[in-house]
Amino acid sequence: MTQGSQDKPKFTVLSIFAHPDDEAFGSGGTLAELVRKGHKMTTVCATNGDVGEISDPALATPENLWQVRQEEMRRAMTVTGIKDVRFLGYRDSGMDGTPDNDNTSSLFQADPAKVEAEISALLDELQPDIVFTHDPTGGYGHPDHVTVYRRTLAVINAMTGKRPHLYYVCFPRENFKRLWHEMTDAGITPPFAKEQLDDIGSPDDFITTVRDVSDFVEIKKESLSHHQTQIDPNGPFGKLAPLVLTAWMSTEYFYLDQPNNGETHEDILSDLV
Ligand SMILES: [Zn+2]
């Protein structure tokens, strides 16, 4: 942490997510705000999102999707204002239970010690004050989200020196329920079944930090729009009324994990300067 103008602390912030676009919906506004307040930012994708959707065959093929998604990520981060964008290069492991889970190049199959060594090297190099990553549920149980959470937590738990504030980006279960009802009422088929609603998302009492990012929501939306292969205009989110979608995107939710060494971390994200 360095002292900026007016002695306001300037943080070094490392985001570690599984796929290009994972940063967007849950933390895009906060990342844009941190950039504009002069904090030092790095974003890391563990995989290239190789097996994600292709919204329009003109944009990519299954063979070059990994390159297209890297480019989309770089363009998205240019809008957000983050220049330091890195990829660990693992293959996307696909949704839970799909054959891509078994691919030997996938993050899911990677040697945990190797992934942890890579995350550890990032922490040594950057010395972040804040780390953002997936929450323990992975939002909706994606194996790569859960793997990135587990590896990042293991590395931070093993640190002997000063530890970063570890924030999980959360998608509250209550919001999934509200969204399901809003979509159903509007005649839109939600992307998840009613039977899933008690299982997906972060438990509501898990959330420590709720952030109003409405001042940054236009940047967030523009950044997200560069993940073009992942955006289906005819999908459930594309069908939501623009003002409704903007309202959903204007609040972000985090869980501040406490260190396992007896230290107490203050919620430095709730009071950003
Ligand atoms: Zn993802």
Side-chain angles (χ1 to χ4, degrees), residues 79-145:
V79 173
T80 304
I82 299 178
K83 296 184 185 75
D84 190 7
V85 181
R86 308 187 194 190
F87 297 88
L88 298 185
Y90 290 99
R91 190 175 192 277
D92 187 337
S93 312
M95 293 293 198
D96 194 18
T98 60
D100 290 305
N101 296 178
D102 301 324
N103 190 298
T104 52
S105 303
S106 70
L107 178 65
F108 193 56
Q109 296 294 336
D111 178 3
K114 179 174 180 286
V115 181
E116 287 172 18
E118 289 167 331
I119 295 172
S120 188
L122 285 165
L123 291 170
D124 284 348
E125 175 197 337
L126 299 165
Q127 303 277 323
D129 303 292
I130 296 174
V131 170
F132 289 116
T133 193
H134 297 279
D135 87 328
T137 71
Y140 49 94
H142 193 298
D144 286 333
H145 297 186

